[in-house]
Amino acid sequence: MATLETAKRLVVKIGSAILIDSKTGTLRRDWLSSLSQDISALKTNGKDVVIVSSGAIALGRARLSLLGRKLSLAEKQACAAAGQSLLTRAYEHALGEHKIVTAQALLTLNDTEDRRRWLNARSTLQTILTLGAVPIINENDTVATDEIRYGDNDRLAARTAQMLGADTLILLSDIDGLYTADPRTDKKAKHLSEITLLTDEIMAMGGGANSDAAMGSGGMATKLAAAKIAMQAGCRMCIMDGRDESPLRRLQEGERCSWFSAGSNPKKARQQWIGGALQPSGRLTVDAGAASALREGKSLLAAGVKTLSGNFNKGDAVAVCDEIGMEIARGLVSYDAADASKILGLNSRDISSILGYDNGAALIHRDNLVMM
Ligand code: GLU
């Protein structure tokens, strides 16, 4: 059985329906404090925890006296704006009881689709984790239009897991996993505890089972879409009923849920993504010393780069070639072509004095590099 023992980096998605009492539109504080206790225990065991939380719209509804009716997109956005500060404060307070610092990050679809913004969001969130804090992520509903909205935090959570190379994604929902049919209407519906492959048959099970539709916007379909993203990124995913207190402890104790196993490991998935899917927009030629450093798994430093070509931007994929022109690696570059050309051959120490800023010592960080 899958446990959390082996997890190093977890993304926990919290749906509106479990965080907020739908009748009053208020926070379930005792539940949140039990969750915080669980998170504190995970962090004590050395695990990184990232929270993706819904609930801004649901909380804003009560604040703006809009309970119990259908909202227009603009009204939802207004509610999200009114509710987000309450949501953040709730986590800040609950985790603060365990001396855990929280950091709010509001993302849009573009931040996880567009490479440059993706890299920026990634390094900010990485830094937050390195500093020991817990990112509290939600969609930036205020600026999002229908076209650029995720609309559901299930997929946003999966993208976040992919972005951060998480190995475990937990969707806390009001249903204990995936069923062959909707268990509320079909007595013959069977619970699936382990899914290793997303077949058409499994994807079809997402059909009508809309769980927390009253307040959030997710349902089983968006959870399966999230599973697809996560599994491809080498991250296993779990759907569990998180309504009772201490959900993560209960999960560790073997509470019934559905596990979707990871296709490969996060690092491998990321390397496939860099090596396979991206068309290089430039080329760096490196000296023999740099080439052998890369083979040892090191980052590419400007000092070892002899020439560059192509008009690439920061975050673009570039080919790394040896002196005879063979592509030996491919990676996402940390400086655009104009700035990279100013620091070629130079020591990393000199970067900030020459460019006036510093995107890190490496031209391509080893996490963003794959050998060909
Ligand atoms: N971002 C929305 C909120 O915080 C929730 C989206 C969802 O329910 O998945 O209210």
PDB file of all heavy atoms in Angstrom, residues 13-16 53-59 80 84 87 138-141 149 151-154 156 212 215-218 222, ligand 1:
ATOM      1  N   LYS A  13      -3.943  19.483  -2.240  1.00  0.00           N
ATOM      2  CA  LYS A  13      -4.987  20.367  -2.760  1.00  0.00           C
ATOM      3  C   LYS A  13      -6.217  20.256  -1.874  1.00  0.00           C
ATOM      4  O   LYS A  13      -6.703  19.165  -1.591  1.00  0.00           O
ATOM      5  CB  LYS A  13      -5.314  20.007  -4.217  1.00  0.00           C
ATOM      6  CG  LYS A  13      -6.326  20.957  -4.846  1.00  0.00           C
ATOM      7  CD  LYS A  13      -7.706  20.391  -4.858  1.00  0.00           C
ATOM      8  CE  LYS A  13      -8.725  21.415  -5.317  1.00  0.00           C
ATOM      9  NZ  LYS A  13     -10.075  20.844  -5.426  1.00  0.00           N
ATOM     10  N   ILE A  14      -6.684  21.405  -1.448  1.00  0.00           N
ATOM     11  CA  ILE A  14      -7.822  21.443  -0.537  1.00  0.00           C
ATOM     12  C   ILE A  14      -9.013  22.079  -1.233  1.00  0.00           C
ATOM     13  O   ILE A  14      -8.944  23.221  -1.684  1.00  0.00           O
ATOM     14  CB  ILE A  14      -7.420  22.218   0.740  1.00  0.00           C
ATOM     15  CG1 ILE A  14      -6.322  21.412   1.453  1.00  0.00           C
ATOM     16  CG2 ILE A  14      -8.603  22.426   1.668  1.00  0.00           C
ATOM     17  CD1 ILE A  14      -5.319  22.214   2.166  1.00  0.00           C
ATOM     18  N   GLY A  15     -10.067  21.320  -1.346  1.00  0.00           N
ATOM     19  CA  GLY A  15     -11.259  21.810  -2.043  1.00  0.00           C
ATOM     20  C   GLY A  15     -12.123  22.672  -1.139  1.00  0.00           C
ATOM     21  O   GLY A  15     -12.113  22.521   0.088  1.00  0.00           O
ATOM     22  N   SER A  16     -12.882  23.573  -1.760  1.00  0.00           N
ATOM     23  CA  SER A  16     -13.759  24.479  -0.991  1.00  0.00           C
ATOM     24  C   SER A  16     -14.723  23.701  -0.099  1.00  0.00           C
ATOM     25  O   SER A  16     -14.990  24.093   1.035  1.00  0.00           O
ATOM     26  CB  SER A  16     -14.616  25.323  -1.940  1.00  0.00           C
ATOM     27  OG  SER A  16     -13.829  25.992  -2.863  1.00  0.00           O
ATOM     28  N   SER A  53      -4.969  25.754  -2.325  1.00  0.00           N
ATOM     29  CA  SER A  53      -6.267  25.799  -1.656  1.00  0.00           C
ATOM     30  C   SER A  53      -7.307  26.597  -2.414  1.00  0.00           C
ATOM     31  O   SER A  53      -7.073  27.715  -2.858  1.00  0.00           O
ATOM     32  CB  SER A  53      -6.125  26.386  -0.250  1.00  0.00           C
ATOM     33  OG  SER A  53      -7.390  26.400   0.396  1.00  0.00           O
ATOM     34  N   SER A  54      -8.464  26.004  -2.547  1.00  0.00           N
ATOM     35  CA  SER A  54      -9.646  26.710  -3.028  1.00  0.00           C
ATOM     36  C   SER A  54     -10.300  27.350  -1.820  1.00  0.00           C
ATOM     37  O   SER A  54      -9.864  27.144  -0.692  1.00  0.00           O
ATOM     38  CB  SER A  54     -10.629  25.716  -3.652  1.00  0.00           C
ATOM     39  OG  SER A  54     -10.000  24.985  -4.653  1.00  0.00           O
ATOM     40  N   GLY A  55     -11.348  28.074  -2.079  1.00  0.00           N
ATOM     41  CA  GLY A  55     -12.101  28.624  -0.965  1.00  0.00           C
ATOM     42  C   GLY A  55     -12.252  30.131  -0.996  1.00  0.00           C
ATOM     43  O   GLY A  55     -13.056  30.683  -0.258  1.00  0.00           O
ATOM     44  N   ALA A  56     -11.494  30.787  -1.884  1.00  0.00           N
ATOM     45  CA  ALA A  56     -11.598  32.247  -1.933  1.00  0.00           C
ATOM     46  C   ALA A  56     -13.008  32.670  -2.345  1.00  0.00           C
ATOM     47  O   ALA A  56     -13.614  33.549  -1.722  1.00  0.00           O
ATOM     48  CB  ALA A  56     -10.561  32.805  -2.901  1.00  0.00           C
ATOM     49  N   ILE A  57     -13.519  32.015  -3.371  1.00  0.00           N
ATOM     50  CA  ILE A  57     -14.847  32.404  -3.866  1.00  0.00           C
ATOM     51  C   ILE A  57     -15.907  32.099  -2.808  1.00  0.00           C
ATOM     52  O   ILE A  57     -16.747  32.942  -2.477  1.00  0.00           O
ATOM     53  CB  ILE A  57     -15.156  31.697  -5.205  1.00  0.00           C
ATOM     54  CG1 ILE A  57     -14.153  32.162  -6.271  1.00  0.00           C
ATOM     55  CG2 ILE A  57     -16.600  31.980  -5.652  1.00  0.00           C
ATOM     56  CD1 ILE A  57     -14.267  31.469  -7.618  1.00  0.00           C
ATOM     57  N   ALA A  58     -15.814  30.903  -2.238  1.00  0.00           N
ATOM     58  CA  ALA A  58     -16.796  30.517  -1.221  1.00  0.00           C
ATOM     59  C   ALA A  58     -16.775  31.474  -0.028  1.00  0.00           C
ATOM     60  O   ALA A  58     -17.824  31.857   0.491  1.00  0.00           O
ATOM     61  CB  ALA A  58     -16.524  29.090  -0.772  1.00  0.00           C
ATOM     62  N   LEU A  59     -15.580  31.889   0.408  1.00  0.00           N
ATOM     63  CA  LEU A  59     -15.504  32.819   1.539  1.00  0.00           C
ATOM     64  C   LEU A  59     -15.987  34.214   1.162  1.00  0.00           C
ATOM     65  O   LEU A  59     -16.641  34.901   1.941  1.00  0.00           O
ATOM     66  CB  LEU A  59     -14.060  32.909   2.064  1.00  0.00           C
ATOM     67  CG  LEU A  59     -13.553  31.719   2.866  1.00  0.00           C
ATOM     68  CD1 LEU A  59     -12.057  31.849   3.106  1.00  0.00           C
ATOM     69  CD2 LEU A  59     -14.293  31.618   4.189  1.00  0.00           C
ATOM     70  N   ALA A  80     -13.714  36.158  -5.163  1.00  0.00           N
ATOM     71  CA  ALA A  80     -12.360  35.637  -4.951  1.00  0.00           C
ATOM     72  C   ALA A  80     -11.479  36.713  -4.332  1.00  0.00           C
ATOM     73  O   ALA A  80     -10.707  36.458  -3.407  1.00  0.00           O
ATOM     74  CB  ALA A  80     -11.769  35.154  -6.273  1.00  0.00           C
ATOM     75  N   GLN A  84      -9.992  35.916  -0.776  1.00  0.00           N
ATOM     76  CA  GLN A  84      -8.605  35.434  -0.780  1.00  0.00           C
ATOM     77  C   GLN A  84      -7.829  35.868   0.465  1.00  0.00           C
ATOM     78  O   GLN A  84      -7.068  35.088   1.033  1.00  0.00           O
ATOM     79  CB  GLN A  84      -7.881  35.906  -2.053  1.00  0.00           C
ATOM     80  CG  GLN A  84      -6.448  35.411  -2.191  1.00  0.00           C
ATOM     81  CD  GLN A  84      -6.336  33.889  -2.252  1.00  0.00           C
ATOM     82  OE1 GLN A  84      -7.161  33.215  -2.872  1.00  0.00           O
ATOM     83  NE2 GLN A  84      -5.339  33.331  -1.590  1.00  0.00           N
ATOM     84  N   LEU A  87      -8.739  33.739   3.290  1.00  0.00           N
ATOM     85  CA  LEU A  87      -8.189  32.398   3.103  1.00  0.00           C
ATOM     86  C   LEU A  87      -6.718  32.354   3.525  1.00  0.00           C
ATOM     87  O   LEU A  87      -6.295  31.494   4.303  1.00  0.00           O
ATOM     88  CB  LEU A  87      -8.346  32.020   1.615  1.00  0.00           C
ATOM     89  CG  LEU A  87      -8.016  30.597   1.211  1.00  0.00           C
ATOM     90  CD1 LEU A  87      -9.008  29.625   1.832  1.00  0.00           C
ATOM     91  CD2 LEU A  87      -8.079  30.461  -0.325  1.00  0.00           C
ATOM     92  N   ASN A 138      -3.184  29.620  -4.943  1.00  0.00           N
ATOM     93  CA  ASN A 138      -4.534  29.595  -5.509  1.00  0.00           C
ATOM     94  C   ASN A 138      -4.429  30.215  -6.894  1.00  0.00           C
ATOM     95  O   ASN A 138      -3.399  30.796  -7.255  1.00  0.00           O
ATOM     96  CB  ASN A 138      -5.506  30.384  -4.619  1.00  0.00           C
ATOM     97  CG  ASN A 138      -6.981  30.055  -4.915  1.00  0.00           C
ATOM     98  OD1 ASN A 138      -7.293  29.290  -5.835  1.00  0.00           O
ATOM     99  ND2 ASN A 138      -7.879  30.648  -4.141  1.00  0.00           N
ATOM    100  N   GLU A 139      -5.494  30.098  -7.648  1.00  0.00           N
ATOM    101  CA  GLU A 139      -5.495  30.760  -8.944  1.00  0.00           C
ATOM    102  C   GLU A 139      -5.694  32.249  -8.725  1.00  0.00           C
ATOM    103  O   GLU A 139      -6.401  32.670  -7.813  1.00  0.00           O
ATOM    104  CB  GLU A 139      -6.621  30.205  -9.821  1.00  0.00           C
ATOM    105  CG  GLU A 139      -6.632  30.837 -11.196  1.00  0.00           C
ATOM    106  CD  GLU A 139      -7.384  30.012 -12.217  1.00  0.00           C
ATOM    107  OE1 GLU A 139      -8.191  29.169 -11.820  1.00  0.00           O
ATOM    108  OE2 GLU A 139      -7.158  30.245 -13.429  1.00  0.00           O
ATOM    109  N   ASN A 140      -5.043  33.050  -9.571  1.00  0.00           N
ATOM    110  CA  ASN A 140      -5.227  34.495  -9.474  1.00  0.00           C
ATOM    111  C   ASN A 140      -6.518  34.857 -10.204  1.00  0.00           C
ATOM    112  O   ASN A 140      -6.505  35.302 -11.343  1.00  0.00           O
ATOM    113  CB  ASN A 140      -4.021  35.205 -10.083  1.00  0.00           C
ATOM    114  CG  ASN A 140      -4.033  36.685  -9.793  1.00  0.00           C
ATOM    115  OD1 ASN A 140      -5.014  37.204  -9.253  1.00  0.00           O
ATOM    116  ND2 ASN A 140      -2.969  37.368 -10.136  1.00  0.00           N
ATOM    117  N   ASP A 141      -7.625  34.646  -9.521  1.00  0.00           N
ATOM    118  CA  ASP A 141      -8.932  34.779 -10.166  1.00  0.00           C
ATOM    119  C   ASP A 141      -9.232  36.188 -10.662  1.00  0.00           C
ATOM    120  O   ASP A 141      -9.996  36.372 -11.602  1.00  0.00           O
ATOM    121  CB  ASP A 141     -10.036  34.347  -9.185  1.00  0.00           C
ATOM    122  CG  ASP A 141     -10.042  32.834  -8.971  1.00  0.00           C
ATOM    123  OD1 ASP A 141     -10.138  32.103  -9.961  1.00  0.00           O
ATOM    124  OD2 ASP A 141      -9.957  32.393  -7.819  1.00  0.00           O
ATOM    125  N   ARG A 149      -8.341  31.025 -17.666  1.00  0.00           N
ATOM    126  CA  ARG A 149      -8.548  30.466 -16.339  1.00  0.00           C
ATOM    127  C   ARG A 149      -8.323  28.969 -16.332  1.00  0.00           C
ATOM    128  O   ARG A 149      -8.668  28.290 -17.279  1.00  0.00           O
ATOM    129  CB  ARG A 149     -10.007  30.673 -15.929  1.00  0.00           C
ATOM    130  CG  ARG A 149     -10.259  31.963 -15.248  1.00  0.00           C
ATOM    131  CD  ARG A 149     -11.685  32.010 -14.798  1.00  0.00           C
ATOM    132  NE  ARG A 149     -11.713  31.902 -13.350  1.00  0.00           N
ATOM    133  CZ  ARG A 149     -12.536  31.122 -12.683  1.00  0.00           C
ATOM    134  NH1 ARG A 149     -13.400  30.366 -13.292  1.00  0.00           N
ATOM    135  NH2 ARG A 149     -12.489  31.110 -11.374  1.00  0.00           N
ATOM    136  N   GLY A 151      -9.848  27.605 -13.735  1.00  0.00           N
ATOM    137  CA  GLY A 151     -11.216  27.401 -13.298  1.00  0.00           C
ATOM    138  C   GLY A 151     -11.315  26.333 -12.233  1.00  0.00           C
ATOM    139  O   GLY A 151     -12.244  26.287 -11.472  1.00  0.00           O
ATOM    140  N   ASP A 152     -10.339  25.463 -12.189  1.00  0.00           N
ATOM    141  CA  ASP A 152     -10.386  24.444 -11.146  1.00  0.00           C
ATOM    142  C   ASP A 152      -8.979  24.262 -10.583  1.00  0.00           C
ATOM    143  O   ASP A 152      -7.989  24.324 -11.302  1.00  0.00           O
ATOM    144  CB  ASP A 152     -10.907  23.119 -11.697  1.00  0.00           C
ATOM    145  CG  ASP A 152      -9.946  22.520 -12.697  1.00  0.00           C
ATOM    146  OD1 ASP A 152      -9.043  21.793 -12.266  1.00  0.00           O
ATOM    147  OD2 ASP A 152     -10.090  22.784 -13.903  1.00  0.00           O
ATOM    148  N   ASN A 153      -8.943  24.052  -9.281  1.00  0.00           N
ATOM    149  CA  ASN A 153      -7.644  23.932  -8.632  1.00  0.00           C
ATOM    150  C   ASN A 153      -7.059  22.523  -8.717  1.00  0.00           C
ATOM    151  O   ASN A 153      -5.924  22.317  -8.318  1.00  0.00           O
ATOM    152  CB  ASN A 153      -7.757  24.374  -7.170  1.00  0.00           C
ATOM    153  CG  ASN A 153      -7.656  25.888  -7.041  1.00  0.00           C
ATOM    154  OD1 ASN A 153      -7.455  26.592  -8.038  1.00  0.00           O
ATOM    155  ND2 ASN A 153      -7.802  26.389  -5.830  1.00  0.00           N
ATOM    156  N   ASP A 154      -7.843  21.565  -9.217  1.00  0.00           N
ATOM    157  CA  ASP A 154      -7.295  20.215  -9.369  1.00  0.00           C
ATOM    158  C   ASP A 154      -6.146  20.251 -10.372  1.00  0.00           C
ATOM    159  O   ASP A 154      -5.042  19.777 -10.106  1.00  0.00           O
ATOM    160  CB  ASP A 154      -8.384  19.236  -9.850  1.00  0.00           C
ATOM    161  CG  ASP A 154      -9.483  19.073  -8.816  1.00  0.00           C
ATOM    162  OD1 ASP A 154      -9.168  19.103  -7.618  1.00  0.00           O
ATOM    163  OD2 ASP A 154     -10.657  18.927  -9.206  1.00  0.00           O
ATOM    164  N   LEU A 156      -4.640  22.974 -11.490  1.00  0.00           N
ATOM    165  CA  LEU A 156      -3.601  23.908 -11.019  1.00  0.00           C
ATOM    166  C   LEU A 156      -2.649  23.186 -10.053  1.00  0.00           C
ATOM    167  O   LEU A 156      -1.428  23.358 -10.115  1.00  0.00           O
ATOM    168  CB  LEU A 156      -4.253  25.118 -10.322  1.00  0.00           C
ATOM    169  CG  LEU A 156      -3.270  26.136  -9.725  1.00  0.00           C
ATOM    170  CD1 LEU A 156      -2.424  26.798 -10.807  1.00  0.00           C
ATOM    171  CD2 LEU A 156      -4.017  27.218  -8.938  1.00  0.00           C
ATOM    172  N   ASP A 212     -17.661  18.649  -5.667  1.00  0.00           N
ATOM    173  CA  ASP A 212     -17.896  19.881  -4.912  1.00  0.00           C
ATOM    174  C   ASP A 212     -18.373  21.029  -5.811  1.00  0.00           C
ATOM    175  O   ASP A 212     -18.002  22.165  -5.636  1.00  0.00           O
ATOM    176  CB  ASP A 212     -16.653  20.266  -4.104  1.00  0.00           C
ATOM    177  CG  ASP A 212     -15.354  20.092  -4.880  1.00  0.00           C
ATOM    178  OD1 ASP A 212     -15.444  19.891  -6.094  1.00  0.00           O
ATOM    179  OD2 ASP A 212     -14.292  20.168  -4.256  1.00  0.00           O
ATOM    180  N   MET A 215     -19.747  24.685  -4.566  1.00  0.00           N
ATOM    181  CA  MET A 215     -18.916  25.816  -4.165  1.00  0.00           C
ATOM    182  C   MET A 215     -17.684  25.995  -5.021  1.00  0.00           C
ATOM    183  O   MET A 215     -17.322  27.076  -5.396  1.00  0.00           O
ATOM    184  CB  MET A 215     -18.511  25.654  -2.709  1.00  0.00           C
ATOM    185  CG  MET A 215     -19.668  25.890  -1.780  1.00  0.00           C
ATOM    186  SD  MET A 215     -19.062  26.267  -0.160  1.00  0.00           S
ATOM    187  CE  MET A 215     -18.292  24.722   0.242  1.00  0.00           C
ATOM    188  N   GLY A 216     -17.019  24.921  -5.292  1.00  0.00           N
ATOM    189  CA  GLY A 216     -15.825  25.016  -6.127  1.00  0.00           C
ATOM    190  C   GLY A 216     -16.234  24.702  -7.544  1.00  0.00           C
ATOM    191  O   GLY A 216     -17.406  24.706  -7.883  1.00  0.00           O
ATOM    192  N   SER A 217     -15.242  24.388  -8.362  1.00  0.00           N
ATOM    193  CA  SER A 217     -15.626  24.103  -9.731  1.00  0.00           C
ATOM    194  C   SER A 217     -15.097  22.748 -10.181  1.00  0.00           C
ATOM    195  O   SER A 217     -15.253  22.363 -11.313  1.00  0.00           O
ATOM    196  CB  SER A 217     -15.115  25.209 -10.643  1.00  0.00           C
ATOM    197  OG  SER A 217     -13.840  25.601 -10.212  1.00  0.00           O
ATOM    198  N   GLY A 218     -14.456  22.038  -9.272  1.00  0.00           N
ATOM    199  CA  GLY A 218     -13.893  20.747  -9.646  1.00  0.00           C
ATOM    200  C   GLY A 218     -14.954  19.671  -9.703  1.00  0.00           C
ATOM    201  O   GLY A 218     -16.098  19.859  -9.330  1.00  0.00           O
ATOM    202  N   THR A 222     -12.130  16.868 -13.665  1.00  0.00           N
ATOM    203  CA  THR A 222     -10.916  17.680 -13.495  1.00  0.00           C
ATOM    204  C   THR A 222      -9.874  16.917 -12.656  1.00  0.00           C
ATOM    205  O   THR A 222      -8.675  17.127 -12.810  1.00  0.00           O
ATOM    206  CB  THR A 222     -11.216  19.044 -12.830  1.00  0.00           C
ATOM    207  OG1 THR A 222     -11.773  18.819 -11.545  1.00  0.00           O
ATOM    208  CG2 THR A 222     -12.174  19.880 -13.659  1.00  0.00           C
TER     209      THR A 222
HETATM  210  N1  GLU B   1      -9.881  29.425  -7.146  1.00  0.00           N
HETATM  211  C1  GLU B   1     -11.202  29.134  -6.665  1.00  0.00           C
HETATM  212  C2  GLU B   1     -11.389  29.621  -5.224  1.00  0.00           C
HETATM  213  O1  GLU B   1     -10.458  29.784  -4.500  1.00  0.00           O
HETATM  214  C3  GLU B   1     -11.532  27.670  -6.636  1.00  0.00           C
HETATM  215  C4  GLU B   1     -11.383  26.870  -7.867  1.00  0.00           C
HETATM  216  C5  GLU B   1     -11.820  25.440  -7.598  1.00  0.00           C
HETATM  217  O2  GLU B   1     -12.803  25.252  -6.925  1.00  0.00           O
HETATM  218  O3  GLU B   1     -11.164  24.510  -8.009  1.00  0.00           O
HETATM  219  O4  GLU B   1     -12.458  29.786  -4.759  1.00  0.00           O
END
